[in-house]
Amino acid sequence: MIFKEMASVISNNKISEGIYKTILCSPDISAYSHPGQFVNILPSYNWEYVMRRPMSIANQGNDKISIIYKVIGEGTRIMANWEKDSKVDLIGPLGNYWEGYESGNPILIGGGVGIAPILNLHNQLKKDHIQHILIMGARNVREHFIKHDPENHIYMSTDDGSMGIAGNVVDALRSTFPDGIHPPDSKIYSCGPPMMMEGVRRYSLQNDLECDLALETIMACGFGVCQGCTVERKADTNGQHSYRNQFALACMDGPIFNAKGIVSCM
């Protein structure tokens, strides 16, 4: 079910350089959300633009949801200044969600503004006592808010080598599995900037690993009307060409897509 709900801000805090976590009271959306889904946010009452701001849900339960976001543009700058008890217009939960993680060996990979749905799945796996690997990438140590903890299969990477594994998340994958041998039935779950996910997609294909990617695209409506969030499929048209056969919509068909089913994350 999808709801339009006036949520209220419970807390809004900066958790690392340029990154904020907001907890919202949103009973309806909280009750029906699953890891991987998102909400479409109206940053303020006087928002002048057509497009809302899509934000992945970082946690849900007990009438609350949380979002984790990086301040980049005008919308997120407004959000970073939300005060306690501020009212926020939300539409959600939107999109599909992570599935199939109950068996096998999940490898979770997040980076940049794509950390929220990965953390949501990470917490769900911990709750379900499912062993897994978590890899999180950032430009430097100031952007991380989780400790590098290899003993518990938690790996942080930084582009400048200031924390954890030096390099990007694909470098971290190669460092974690230096011989190219992965646990049986390994499956990658990833979300992050398009270039990062394209690297993860190619790694999964090269190593014959199942991989689900939560794509981040520009969205306006969030439920399939505007057609703005198209993703090109690897579709077998059998000589019959149709728009919906070749192109999916991230808001309705995704945001989670199998790596083998799309042409690119870019």
Side-chain angles (χ1 to χ4, degrees):
M1 297 181 68
I2 299 174
F3 301 91
K4 187 175 185 295
E5 188 167 29
M6 291 302 299
S8 58
V9 175
I10 296 172
S11 64
N12 189 27
N13 298 302
K14 185 177 181 179
I15 58 175
S16 65
E17 185 175 76
I19 298 175
Y20 286 74
K21 178 180 180 179
T22 303
I23 300 175
L24 298 150
C25 180
S26 181
D28 289 336
I29 293 175
S30 174
Y32 286 88
S33 295
H34 301 277
Q37 293 186 295
F38 66 98
V39 290
N40 227 4
I41 298 173
L42 200 63
S44 66
Y45 287 116
N46 58 354
W47 184 243
E48 298 177 351
Y49 303 96
V50 174
M51 293 190 293
R52 290 172 174 250
R53 289 297 177 261
M55 293 284 163
S56 294
I57 299 169
N59 197 25
Q60 63 279 311
N62 299 318
D63 292 341
K64 296 179 286 187
I65 65 168
S66 66
I67 56 174
I68 296 174
Y69 55 95
K70 189 172 185 177
V71 177
I72 296 173
E74 183 176 352
T76 46
R77 281 195 294 270
I78 292 171
M79 292 164 56
N81 287 298
W82 283 341
E83 297 181 350
K84 188 177 184 298
D85 297 325
S86 296
K87 298 299 180 183
V88 180
D89 188 326
L90 304 179
I91 296 175
L94 300 170
N96 58 5
Y97 48 87
W98 308 111
E99 294 183 284
Y101 50 76
E102 296 84 1
S103 60
N105 288 282
I107 302 171
L108 279 52
I109 305 172
V113 293
I115 54 181
I118 294 299
L119 285 178
N120 200 339
L121 181 57
H122 170 60
N123 290 328
Q124 183 66 51
L125 293 175
K126 287 198 300 181
K127 179 181 176 182
D128 294 342
H129 305 289
I130 297 173
Q131 188 173 7
H132 61 285
I133 291 168
L134 175 66
I135 297 173
M136 301 290 282
R139 291 181 299 178
N140 54 61
V141 65
R142 297 185 299 276
E143 292 185 350
H144 274 309
F145 53 90
I146 298 175
K147 292 182 179 180
H148 182 62
D149 187 8
E151 289 186 5
N152 289 305
H153 309 292
I154 296 175
Y155 303 90
M156 301 294 108
S157 73
T158 49
D159 294 345
D160 65 358
S162 56
M163 179 182 182
I165 299 167
N168 58 34
V169 295
V170 176
D171 294 322
L173 273 168
R174 294 189 178 117
S175 175
T176 305
F177 306 104
D179 54 5
I181 298 175
H182 305 81
D185 300 318
S186 289
K187 182 175 180 178
I188 293 175
Y189 301 82
S190 183
C191 185
M195 188 173 293
M196 183 208 92
M197 284 200 291
E198 180 61 15
V200 172
R201 187 184 76 88
R202 292 179 181 181
Y203 179 93
S204 72
L205 297 176
Q206 291 165 0
N207 289 275
D208 195 27
L209 295 173
E210 281 297 312
C211 175
D212 282 347
L213 303 156
L215 300 186
E216 297 192 339
T217 62
I218 295 173
M219 295 182 188
C221 68
F223 42 81
V225 174
C226 71
Q227 306 284 299
C229 57
T230 56
V231 177
E232 188 173 1
R233 306 177 193 257
K234 287 183 177 178
D236 182 5
T237 62
N238 293 319
Q240 297 182 3
H241 300 281
S242 73
Y243 176 81
R244 286 292 284 143
N245 189 43
Q246 186 175 358
F247 294 98
L249 297 175
C251 66
M252 289 184 62
D253 305 306
I256 298 167
F257 293 90
N258 187 269
K260 296 176 182 177
I262 59 173
V263 172
S264 172
C265 297
M266 304 294 289

